[in-house]
mmCIF file of all heavy atoms in Angstrom:
data_model
loop_
_atom_site.group_PDB
_atom_site.id
_atom_site.type_symbol
_atom_site.label_atom_id
_atom_site.label_comp_id
_atom_site.label_asym_id
_atom_site.label_seq_id
_atom_site.Cartn_x
_atom_site.Cartn_y
_atom_site.Cartn_z
ATOM 1 N N LYS C 6 11.889 2.310 24.283
ATOM 2 C CA LYS C 6 11.047 1.110 24.378
ATOM 3 C C LYS C 6 10.502 0.751 23.001
ATOM 4 O O LYS C 6 10.467 -0.414 22.615
ATOM 5 C CB LYS C 6 9.879 1.368 25.335
ATOM 6 C CG LYS C 6 10.109 0.761 26.715
ATOM 7 C CD LYS C 6 8.847 0.903 27.544
ATOM 8 C CE LYS C 6 9.196 0.799 29.020
ATOM 9 N NZ LYS C 6 8.164 1.391 29.863
ATOM 10 N N LEU C 8 11.806 1.386 20.227
ATOM 11 C CA LEU C 8 12.853 0.926 19.319
ATOM 12 C C LEU C 8 13.349 -0.466 19.678
ATOM 13 O O LEU C 8 14.001 -1.118 18.886
ATOM 14 C CB LEU C 8 14.032 1.912 19.333
ATOM 15 C CG LEU C 8 13.732 3.225 18.628
ATOM 16 C CD1 LEU C 8 14.869 4.200 18.815
ATOM 17 C CD2 LEU C 8 13.489 2.973 17.157
ATOM 18 N N LEU C 34 -7.091 19.619 15.834
ATOM 19 C CA LEU C 34 -7.253 20.153 14.475
ATOM 20 C C LEU C 34 -8.600 20.857 14.296
ATOM 21 O O LEU C 34 -9.599 20.457 14.886
ATOM 22 C CB LEU C 34 -7.143 19.013 13.455
ATOM 23 C CG LEU C 34 -5.782 18.312 13.401
ATOM 24 C CD1 LEU C 34 -5.830 17.149 12.431
ATOM 25 C CD2 LEU C 34 -4.697 19.294 12.990
ATOM 26 N N PHE C 45 -6.894 12.079 3.819
ATOM 27 C CA PHE C 45 -5.589 11.432 3.720
ATOM 28 C C PHE C 45 -5.660 9.993 4.236
ATOM 29 O O PHE C 45 -5.012 9.098 3.692
ATOM 30 C CB PHE C 45 -4.542 12.190 4.548
ATOM 31 C CG PHE C 45 -4.325 13.608 4.103
ATOM 32 C CD1 PHE C 45 -3.657 14.511 4.913
ATOM 33 C CD2 PHE C 45 -4.790 14.048 2.872
ATOM 34 C CE1 PHE C 45 -3.463 15.821 4.513
ATOM 35 C CE2 PHE C 45 -4.603 15.356 2.463
ATOM 36 C CZ PHE C 45 -3.939 16.248 3.293
ATOM 37 N N GLN C 69 -4.806 0.769 -9.000
ATOM 38 C CA GLN C 69 -5.636 0.698 -7.800
ATOM 39 C C GLN C 69 -6.769 1.708 -7.845
ATOM 40 O O GLN C 69 -7.753 1.568 -7.129
ATOM 41 C CB GLN C 69 -4.803 0.892 -6.539
ATOM 42 C CG GLN C 69 -3.924 -0.287 -6.169
ATOM 43 C CD GLN C 69 -4.657 -1.606 -6.112
ATOM 44 O OE1 GLN C 69 -4.759 -2.310 -7.113
ATOM 45 N NE2 GLN C 69 -5.194 -1.957 -4.969
ATOM 46 N N LEU C 99 -32.059 13.437 -13.813
ATOM 47 C CA LEU C 99 -33.154 14.237 -14.347
ATOM 48 C C LEU C 99 -32.602 15.239 -15.353
ATOM 49 O O LEU C 99 -33.208 15.523 -16.377
ATOM 50 C CB LEU C 99 -33.867 14.970 -13.220
ATOM 51 C CG LEU C 99 -34.611 14.058 -12.242
ATOM 52 C CD1 LEU C 99 -35.096 14.845 -11.040
ATOM 53 C CD2 LEU C 99 -35.783 13.381 -12.945
ATOM 54 N N LEU C 125 -17.750 -6.673 -2.291
ATOM 55 C CA LEU C 125 -17.855 -7.816 -3.195
ATOM 56 C C LEU C 125 -17.465 -7.492 -4.638
ATOM 57 O O LEU C 125 -16.770 -8.272 -5.286
ATOM 58 C CB LEU C 125 -19.281 -8.380 -3.171
ATOM 59 C CG LEU C 125 -19.642 -9.144 -1.898
ATOM 60 C CD1 LEU C 125 -21.022 -9.766 -2.030
ATOM 61 C CD2 LEU C 125 -18.607 -10.215 -1.600
ATOM 62 N N GLY C 135 -7.136 -11.105 -11.565
ATOM 63 C CA GLY C 135 -5.915 -11.652 -10.990
ATOM 64 C C GLY C 135 -5.743 -13.111 -11.376
ATOM 65 O O GLY C 135 -4.681 -13.524 -11.851
ATOM 66 N N GLY C 171 -22.731 10.214 -14.218
ATOM 67 C CA GLY C 171 -22.392 11.616 -13.994
ATOM 68 C C GLY C 171 -21.238 12.093 -14.851
ATOM 69 O O GLY C 171 -20.860 13.255 -14.768
ATOM 70 N N PHE C 179 -23.859 15.267 -1.951
ATOM 71 C CA PHE C 179 -24.591 14.359 -1.061
ATOM 72 C C PHE C 179 -25.053 15.121 0.173
ATOM 73 O O PHE C 179 -24.324 15.935 0.719
ATOM 74 C CB PHE C 179 -23.687 13.200 -0.624
ATOM 75 C CG PHE C 179 -22.894 12.623 -1.751
ATOM 76 C CD1 PHE C 179 -21.522 12.821 -1.818
ATOM 77 C CD2 PHE C 179 -23.519 11.897 -2.747
ATOM 78 C CE1 PHE C 179 -20.793 12.310 -2.869
ATOM 79 C CE2 PHE C 179 -22.791 11.383 -3.800
ATOM 80 C CZ PHE C 179 -21.425 11.592 -3.860
ATOM 81 N N ALA C 191 -20.502 17.696 13.586
ATOM 82 C CA ALA C 191 -20.400 16.535 14.473
ATOM 83 C C ALA C 191 -20.360 15.247 13.669
ATOM 84 O O ALA C 191 -19.605 14.316 13.971
ATOM 85 C CB ALA C 191 -21.582 16.513 15.440
ATOM 86 N N ARG C 194 -17.042 14.795 12.027
ATOM 87 C CA ARG C 194 -16.058 14.266 12.961
ATOM 88 C C ARG C 194 -16.257 12.762 13.119
ATOM 89 O O ARG C 194 -15.308 11.994 13.169
ATOM 90 C CB ARG C 194 -16.206 14.968 14.317
ATOM 91 C CG ARG C 194 -14.981 14.814 15.201
ATOM 92 C CD ARG C 194 -14.892 15.873 16.258
ATOM 93 N NE ARG C 194 -16.100 15.932 17.075
ATOM 94 C CZ ARG C 194 -16.845 17.007 17.217
ATOM 95 N NH1 ARG C 194 -16.517 18.112 16.603
ATOM 96 N NH2 ARG C 194 -17.925 16.991 17.976
ATOM 97 N N VAL C 203 -11.139 2.324 10.837
ATOM 98 C CA VAL C 203 -11.023 1.371 9.731
ATOM 99 C C VAL C 203 -9.557 1.218 9.308
ATOM 100 O O VAL C 203 -9.066 0.109 9.088
ATOM 101 C CB VAL C 203 -11.883 1.823 8.532
ATOM 102 C CG1 VAL C 203 -11.554 1.013 7.295
ATOM 103 C CG2 VAL C 203 -13.353 1.693 8.870
ATOM 104 N N ALA C 247 -3.566 -11.813 -2.465
ATOM 105 C CA ALA C 247 -2.979 -10.527 -2.090
ATOM 106 C C ALA C 247 -3.599 -9.396 -2.907
ATOM 107 O O ALA C 247 -3.915 -8.321 -2.388
ATOM 108 C CB ALA C 247 -1.469 -10.561 -2.297
ATOM 109 N N ALA C 252 -7.316 -4.835 -3.327
ATOM 110 C CA ALA C 252 -8.446 -4.227 -4.023
ATOM 111 C C ALA C 252 -9.545 -3.852 -3.035
ATOM 112 O O ALA C 252 -10.124 -2.762 -3.104
ATOM 113 C CB ALA C 252 -8.987 -5.181 -5.085
ATOM 114 N N THR C 373 0.361 12.840 12.478
ATOM 115 C CA THR C 373 -0.469 14.050 12.515
ATOM 116 C C THR C 373 0.204 15.144 11.711
ATOM 117 O O THR C 373 1.181 15.724 12.150
ATOM 118 C CB THR C 373 -0.637 14.564 13.958
ATOM 119 O OG1 THR C 373 0.619 14.459 14.610
ATOM 120 C CG2 THR C 373 -1.674 13.797 14.709
#
Side-chain angles (χ1 to χ4, degrees):
Chain C
K6 259 187 201 159
L8 288 174
L34 296 176
F45 299 165
Q69 287 308 89
L99 293 171
L125 287 185
F179 316 109
R194 198 158 55 238
V203 168
T373 42

